[in-house]
Amino acid sequence: MADTLTRLEATVRARKGGDAATSYVARLFTRGRPKIAQKLGEEAVETVIAAMAGDRAEVIKESADLLFHLTVLLAEMDVPLADVLAELDRREGLSGLAEKAARPAE
């Protein structure tokens, strides 16, 4: 899966300065972070709706859309996917409850 996401990240970053008339990714970048974040939120909600409906096929499709739009947001913020994967690696083996308790209070 990491290879697929790495290829996706490279494609998204390559299209960042592309022609918005011919590239959905370029169009998202020209619309800015608010629109990219909005699209990410929409895909998250659609994934939840599919999950609540028990629609496995839709969950797969919406999850792909969610990962795609997350990749676009990360690229817009110049956050390498490797940094996110490193954070997941750091958390591996930690109790989710212990990890959350160790976070600074919000």
Side-chain angles (χ1 to χ4, degrees), residues 42-84:
E42 289 171 7
E43 298 306 339
V45 169
E46 290 170 2
T47 303
V48 170
I49 291 168
M52 296 304 294
D55 189 335
R56 186 176 186 280
E58 271 309 294
V59 165
I60 291 168
K61 291 175 188 174
E62 295 301 341
S63 294
D65 290 346
L66 181 61
L67 288 171
F68 169 80
H69 285 90
L70 176 58
T71 303
V72 174
L73 180 66
L74 292 173
E76 195 280 330
M77 295 187 69
D78 199 30
V79 174
L81 180 60
D83 289 0
V84 177

